[in-house]
Amino acid sequence: MAIEFTFGPRERLLRRTVQEFMRNEIRPMLKEDKTGHGTFPVEAVKRLQEHGFFGVPIPREYGGAGLGEVGYCILVEELGRMDSSIATIVGAHTGICLTPTWIFGNEEQRERFVRPMADGRALGAFALTEPTAGSDAAGIRTRAEEDGNEYVLNGRKIWCSNGDRAEFVLVMAVTDPTLGARGGVTAFMVEKGTPGLEVGSIEDKMGIRSSSTAELIFKDCRVPKENIIGDIGAGLIVALTALDGGRAGLAAGGVGAVKEMLERSLDYSRKRRRSGRPIADHQSVQWRLAEMATDAYLNERAVYEVATLVDRYYHMLARKERPPRELRDEISRKCAMVKVSASEAAGRAVESAMSIFGAAGVRDIWRIEQAFRDQIIIEIFEGTNEIQRMIVARDLVDRGSFW
Amino acid sequence: MSPDAAFAPGDRPVVVVVVAQLPLVDHLSVDPRALEIDVRGAERVLTAVDREAVAAGIGLRDQAEGFLLVIALDEEGATNLPSAPAVEGGVREALAMGADAGLLLNVAGAARDALTRARLLAEAVRHLPRADLVLVPSVSDDPDWGLLPGMLAEMLDCGAVPAARNLEFHGDWVAGNALFGATTRRFETDTPAVLSVRPGGHRASWPTAWRVADAFHSLPIISWTLSDLDTDGRLLTRLFAPAETRTLRVVRPEPPQPERFTDPPDMSARTLGKRLARKGFLGGF
């Protein structure tokens, strides 16, 4: 499906709003804590929730802003420019918990779960990865056994962003081991405080240190059947659909990082003088700037075209329509493509910025070293870039053509 | 559209904020044939000073549980640039910040100097169902706007307060600090009044994601042309007639205790600029 994308006045106003709000209100609150597992930015998150930035893509009737996936990607891009930890917190909440709950939930679940998460009263998290199942999501072992009107969950989940802070956790668990990936996994919404839900260790990470990454332990955790999101056995569809859209958001964060590195490098290289002239006069610096600008331009176009496509797809699913298989495959392929491209562009951009800044880049004050540590995770989480390449390649080989 | 239907403030006090919409400079281009700056399609935004005035208006609206209307002339009036179509980017921004409604005065070619702008704005304010306070940013990118508050007050026959901040609105009167000459003093005055709003002293008002969406979908922006204002068929005569001699009520401070102003001195409109300058008002505006 060919889409020509341009930003409208609404999107431009949203971008300016996020930029100025982040610069004036949120940025002063943020200081990276390099001890232990970092400090969750409670006050900054609260301010963003109060301003509706935790429910941007969700329709107004469910408490969101109704600005769609394009609005969400603009938000994540601008957050990613300022602070990757905040972008991660919003992404884990909106991209992979709130949005799939809205898409696959019924009206009662939308009132119970979607509304409080979209209007900023509650934080969400997503729990799929386990110690023995990461990229091979179908290999999860957390069990959910039916017992009357409830399911009893047992198992461990790791790498849950917001896991220890969330009021709602979207958990994938095996309801029928005999079916495996094809109908054996179901999505459950587990509420904070449910007996049997425990927070395990909090990760001490190299980057995105202000976001909280928790282990969640389920010990005879009883979840009512009305908390099943989507159909029984459709858990992997819920998870993979969430991850597709989530990847578009991650890619937008990567675009934000490239733009930020370019802007800072450009500014620095025009001011920093060596041998009597700005270092921006040197061809080696100019090439790096040109590469960053090219990456920013191309990835921005691709990300927002995909976001438009994802928006249509999600709205079809939310209306309980059945999208054509071709559209689903196209979404998966393109989301994987932009995730690979933008995340690796972000990696290249921070390397270039580090090179342009030289010794200054490793100093704390310029926050290039923090970006260096933060950006690497975009290539890893919500499906490593290796997995994304497999998704693209399988689709190509299956269809035997590029378009 | 009838102003009553559009704005529906009911019995609530109405705060009006006059803003300038300026094109974003990074979107400007030069028309090679006409050799002039082409602002068609350029995005209109509020300046930081205008946003301050809107934030002040939001604070006053909330204090008095009133209604906040933002008025902007189209960009021909705001930038003195010809051939620009009416756009409303700045008004939408004000709506996103918290204004209740927007009014765009789309009057091509009629608003190229401060006096005509003041007349148009005064005419628009007169056409509103109600206006208790008119706020004008005290500093603008366009130096002509510095004359606007005094002229507007004269035409609306109400008090004018220069460079005000820390405002309190009580429905039928307003108080705060104002810059009289080089001195900041407290004032109180009855409404209606025209206040030139100085940056600072107002709580920042950031648009929320919800209001950004509402600004484009549900919050009203009304566009008025000359014909909407010309209810008696004599508007053009009034707009382009030589300046009349009218009286201007200027709010003066009575230090050290704040007092109401009941008998302000008269000033001739012909010498308005000189007198305001002598009293240090123009610096404040």
Side-chain angles (χ1 to χ4, degrees):
Chain A
M1 190 182 295
I3 291 173
E4 280 187 27
F5 178 78
T6 52
F7 291 110
R10 188 181 71 168
E11 283 72 32
R12 290 196 294 269
L13 177 57
L14 176 68
R15 186 184 291 280
R16 284 204 309 279
T17 298
V18 179
Q19 277 174 353
E20 291 181 14
F21 186 69
M22 285 297 291
R23 191 181 305 125
N24 294 291
E25 292 280 309
I26 303 298
R27 185 71 168 268
M29 296 179 185
L30 302 175
K31 179 150 176 52
E32 190 186 32
D33 179 0
K34 292 184 177 168
T35 61
H37 49 66
T39 303
F40 190 82
V42 176
E43 199 54 39
V45 167
K46 191 176 161 209
R47 292 284 289 150
L48 286 163
Q49 285 177 321
E50 287 168 355
H51 280 73
F53 294 126
F54 274 67
V56 163
I58 304 302
R60 288 303 300 263
E61 60 263 39
Y62 301 114
L67 294 167
E69 282 299 304
V70 171
Y72 171 64
C73 284
I74 289 171
L75 171 75
V76 178
E77 184 190 325
E78 293 304 327
L79 297 180
R81 287 183 73 145
M82 290 282 174
D83 190 280
S84 295
S85 296
I86 290 279
T88 302
I89 294 165
V90 172
H93 165 91
T94 309
I96 52 179
C97 178
L98 172 59
T99 302
T101 308
W102 161 61
I103 292 171
F104 293 102
N106 56 37
E107 285 304 317
E108 187 262 336
Q109 289 170 333
R110 287 174 177 175
E111 282 303 320
R112 276 178 64 207
F113 305 131
V114 173
R115 185 175 297 283
M117 283 196 279
D119 68 17
R121 285 177 287 150
L123 190 65
F126 177 81
L128 173 66
T129 304
E130 298 181 4
T132 55
S135 295
D136 55 336
I140 61 171
R141 293 181 184 173
T142 295
R143 284 282 282 133
E145 289 173 295
E146 191 174 359
D147 183 13
N149 285 329
E150 296 173 324
Y151 275 84
V152 183
L153 271 62
N154 280 288
R156 270 172 73 202
K157 296 287 182 182
I158 56 172
W159 301 117
C160 303
S161 296
N162 303 343
D164 59 325
R165 302 275 170 176
E167 277 78 17
F168 300 115
V169 185
L170 188 59
V171 181
M172 303 304 144
V174 177
T175 42
D176 188 343
T178 61
L179 295 175
R182 299 188 181 279
V185 176
T186 301
F188 296 88
M189 187 61 85
V190 182
E191 296 170 62
K192 185 179 188 176
T194 304
L197 168 60
E198 296 172 15
V199 175
S201 59
I202 309 292
E203 300 297 338
D204 180 355
K205 308 184 293 297
M206 177 177 92
I208 55 167
R209 293 183 54 79
S210 300
S211 74
S212 182
T213 311
E215 174 191 29
L216 295 179
I217 301 161
F218 300 89
K219 285 183 184 168
D220 294 329
C221 179
R222 291 183 166 272
V223 181
K225 282 183 175 172
E226 55 263 30
N227 284 22
I228 291 174
I229 304 297
D231 296 331
I232 293 172
L236 277 183
I237 293 174
V238 173
L240 296 179
T241 305
L243 289 170
D244 278 342
R247 281 167 196 144
L250 287 181
V255 170
V258 177
K259 287 183 181 176
E260 182 68 13
M261 290 301 107
L262 172 60
E263 207 167 282
R264 287 201 227 166
S265 300
L266 193 56
D267 183 55
Y268 184 81
S269 62
R270 292 174 76 200
K271 289 175 182 164
R272 177 76 170 166
R273 298 179 77 84
R274 271 294 169 265
S275 308
R277 56 183 183 150
I279 61 170
D281 282 358
H282 296 290
Q283 194 178 52
S284 59
V285 172
Q286 289 174 354
W287 281 25
R288 287 186 182 277
L289 294 173
E291 279 163 10
M292 280 192 263
T294 307
D295 276 339
Y297 171 74
L298 294 178
N299 282 293
E300 182 188 72
R301 293 299 179 277
V303 165
Y304 286 99
E305 185 200 298
V306 170
T308 311
L309 205 58
V310 170
D311 198 39
R312 291 183 188 180
Y313 177 58
Y314 278 1
H315 276 84
M316 285 177 80
L317 289 172
R319 291 193 298 268
K320 310 302 179 195
E321 294 171 13
R322 194 178 173 85
R325 170 78 189 266
E326 294 74 24
L327 176 61
R328 205 170 67 213
D329 291 346
E330 185 183 0
I331 296 278
S332 290
R333 182 177 73 248
K334 287 189 171 174
C335 287
M337 284 173 169
V338 293
K339 198 261 186 183
V340 170
S341 176
S343 62
E344 293 178 2
R348 287 194 297 275
V350 287
E351 280 183 34
S352 292
M354 187 67 92
S355 171
I356 289 169
F357 275 74
V362 297
R363 288 179 66 199
D364 195 30
I365 188 171
W366 293 97
R367 298 183 71 194
I368 300 292
E369 62 87 28
Q370 185 186 336
F372 200 85
R373 289 182 286 108
D374 282 348
Q375 290 312 317
I376 191 70
I377 190 63
I378 309 182
E379 296 180 32
I380 299 169
F381 61 11
E382 294 191 26
T384 64
N385 280 9
E386 288 73 20
I387 293 292
Q388 305 312 309
R389 287 186 165 90
M390 284 169 60
I391 292 170
V392 176
R394 274 183 196 156
D395 186 66
L396 287 175
V397 173
D398 282 353
R399 289 183 304 112
S401 73
F402 178 62
W403 297 114
Chain B
M1 183 183 289
S2 134
D4 294 294
F7 305 130
D11 294 332
R12 293 179 286 170
V14 174
V15 179
V16 175
V17 181
V18 177
V19 296
Q21 298 190 113
L22 297 181
L24 265 181
V25 288
D26 51 351
H27 290 153
L28 293 180
S29 59
V30 175
D31 180 347
R33 283 189 216 162
L35 289 179
E36 62 187 23
I37 295 172
D38 184 1
V39 295
R40 284 170 297 186
E43 188 168 2
R44 269 61 173 183
V45 294
L46 297 181
T47 64
V49 176
D50 289 310
R51 283 203 295 268
E52 289 264 3
V54 175
I58 290 167
L60 296 174
R61 185 268 317 268
D62 293 345
Q63 284 174 26
E65 297 180 349
F67 186 90
L68 178 61
L69 172 70
V70 171
I71 298 184
L73 290 165
D74 76 345
E75 62 280 5
E76 287 197 342
T79 64
N80 289 339
L81 291 169
S83 311
V87 290
E88 60 250 357
V91 177
R92 296 230 185 258
E93 202 172 333
L95 291 175
M97 287 175 69
D100 297 304
L103 171 60
L104 197 67
L105 297 179
N106 182 8
V107 184
R112 296 187 180 181
D113 60 80
L115 181 62
T116 314
R117 278 200 290 273
R119 284 172 161 164
L120 271 171
L121 288 166
E123 203 67 40
V125 171
R126 280 192 208 105
H127 276 71
L128 297 175
R130 179 174 175 174
D132 296 84
L133 277 182
V134 179
L135 307 188
V136 182
S138 66
V139 183
S140 174
D141 292 343
D142 177 359
D144 279 357
W145 282 83
L147 296 169
L148 192 70
M151 291 180 175
L152 205 50
E154 182 204 355
M155 291 166 191
L156 293 172
D157 196 21
C158 63
V161 178
R165 63 161 56 152
N166 302 116
L167 298 167
E168 303 157 22
F169 184 29
H170 301 275
D172 54 354
W173 59 283
V174 63
N177 296 323
L179 198 60
F180 294 95
T183 314
T184 299
R185 291 179 187 163
R186 186 166 169 79
F187 74 90
E188 286 181 4
T189 186
D190 293 329
T191 57
V194 177
L195 274 60
S196 151
V197 184
R198 194 157 39 123
H202 323 294
R203 190 164 165 261
S205 183
W206 300 103
T208 65
W210 299 295
R211 286 203 68 98
V212 168
D214 288 346
F216 287 87
H217 298 296
S218 58
L219 294 169
I221 293 184
I222 309 303
S223 185
W224 280 355
T225 61
L226 274 181
S227 60
D228 294 304
L229 301 176
D230 196 8
T231 45
D232 60 1
R234 298 184 57 203
L235 179 66
L236 286 175
T237 310
R238 288 199 296 278
L239 283 177
F240 297 108
E244 303 164 35
T245 301
R246 298 179 63 178
T247 55
L248 170 64
R249 288 195 294 144
V250 177
V251 176
R252 290 177 173 281
E254 294 292 341
Q257 294 299 320
E259 289 179 9
R260 298 283 187 87
F261 301 100
T262 53
D263 188 20
D266 290 342
M267 293 177 73
S268 161
R270 289 184 190 282
T271 56
L272 173 66
K274 284 182 184 175
R275 292 192 180 201
L276 288 177
R278 195 162 60 237
K279 290 175 183 298
F281 278 34
L282 283 184
F285 286 130

